[in-house]
């Protein structure tokens, strides 16, 4: 895990659905809406691998 300038750790293996920039990034990457990403996070959890796998099926 890397750390931010403020000393907090970042977990790139997770999608923070409460962070608009992360949801926007994932939506653009998978070419879906932000709402679709948030729905998948609610359904499959916040693991980036699970979210990308679920979005890839649609």
């Amino acid at each position: 895990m890397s750390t931010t300038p403020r000393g907090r750790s970042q977990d790139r293996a997770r999608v923070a659905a409460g962070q608009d920039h992360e949801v926007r990034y994932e939506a653009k990457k998978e070419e879906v809406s932000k709402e679709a990403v948030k729905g998948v996070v609610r359904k499959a959890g916040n693991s980036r691998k699970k979210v990308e796998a679920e979005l890839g099926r649609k």
Side-chain angles (χ1 to χ4, degrees):
M1 267 192 251
S2 61
T3 58
T4 65
R6 298 174 91 181
R8 296 179 180 161
S9 59
Q10 291 178 318
D11 192 355
R12 302 214 186 266
R14 308 242 178 250
V15 178
Q19 297 291 320
D20 190 55
H21 63 278
E22 286 203 28
V23 175
R24 254 193 342 258
Y25 168 79
E26 203 61 45
K28 184 176 179 182
K29 180 178 169 186
E30 298 293 329
E31 299 177 343
V32 296
S33 68
K34 292 190 316 184
E35 291 76 23
V37 173
K38 287 183 179 183
V40 170
V41 170
R42 273 189 233 108
K43 179 181 172 190
N46 66 348
S47 166
R48 191 168 301 275
K49 285 184 179 181
K50 287 181 181 179
V51 169
E52 289 174 356
E54 191 70 29
L55 288 172
R57 288 188 216 158
K58 293 183 178 181

